[in-house]
Amino acid sequence: MLNNSGWLHAITAPPTNPQPLTPNPLTPVLTIDGPSGSGKGTIARRVATALGFHLLDSGALYRLVALAGSQQGVAADDQPGHARVARELEVQFGMDGAGEERILLAGTDVTRAIRTETAGAEASRVAAMPPVRSALLSRQHAFAQPPGLVADGRDMGTVVFPGSPLKIYLTASPDERALRRHKQLKDKGLTVTIAGLSQEIRERDLRDSSRPVAPLRPAEDAVILDSTGLTIEQVVDQVLALARSRLPAIS
Ligand code: DC
C-alpha cells in the first residue's frame, strides 16, 4: 500500500477508483500534445507544478497497458485482450520521499521498466488499437479534478479533452528530439545510440501520426510551439503566459 510505505499521492495521483465520467466542465484542462522527444513530459510537469494542477501522463498509461499485457501473456495482436488489460489496469502514480515520481503496477514499481525505448515502441503498438483507446478514455477523464489538469499526450486536445480552453502542440526538429531523448535516457542510466534513437523516433512518429484512430496531429485550435533552440524555462514561461491569458481562474 502506498500510504503505509511512505509513498505520497502527489500531483500525479489519479482518483483511486476512476469512474466512467465525462470531464468536469468546470475544471480547467490545459492540453499538451506533440511527438516523442518534444519535451512535453518535462514541460507538462513543470507547468502543472507552477499552476498547482494535477498531471495526466497519458503515454504512461499506454506503456503500462503494453507491459501488463505482455506480463499476462496477451498475444501482441489481441485487441480485446489488451482492452481488458486497459480496463483492469491496477496502477498508482505517486512520489517517493525524495520527490521522485514512482509508478506502481499491481503494487510493483515499474517506473524504470516502462521508460525504455522498447517499452515505448510496445506502447505505440497497443496505442494503435481502437478498443484500448476507448478503454482508457474514462480513466483519463477522471484525472480532470479541481483545481485543474495539465494533460500530456498525443490526442489530449483532439479526442480526450476537445473542450480544453488551451491546447498546446509542442514540437521540435527530429534531430533535436533525438539529442534530448539521448540525454534523458543517459541521465536515467540507460545506454542508447543517437542514430538508433533518431531512427526509432522517426518510426514512432510515423506510426503515431498515420494510425486511423486518434492520430498525432495538432487540434485545429491548438497553439503550435516549436521548442527547437529554446530552453525548458523559455518554453514553460510561454505556456504559463498563455495559461494566464486563456484560463479564467489563473491570474
Ligand atoms: O509519450 P510517450 O512516449 O510516453 O508515449 C508512448 C506511446 O504511447 C507513443 O508512441 C504514442 C502513444 N500515446 C498515444 O497514442 N496517445 C497518447 N495520448 C499518449 C501516448
Side-chain angles (χ1 to χ4, degrees), residues 58-59 62-63 124 127 133 154-156 204 208 211:
S58 60
Y62 290 97
R63 287 169 183 265
S124 170
R133 302 200 75 86
R154 302 293 190 292
D155 61 342
M156 299 294 98
R204 191 128 61 101
D208 292 342
R211 68 181 174 221

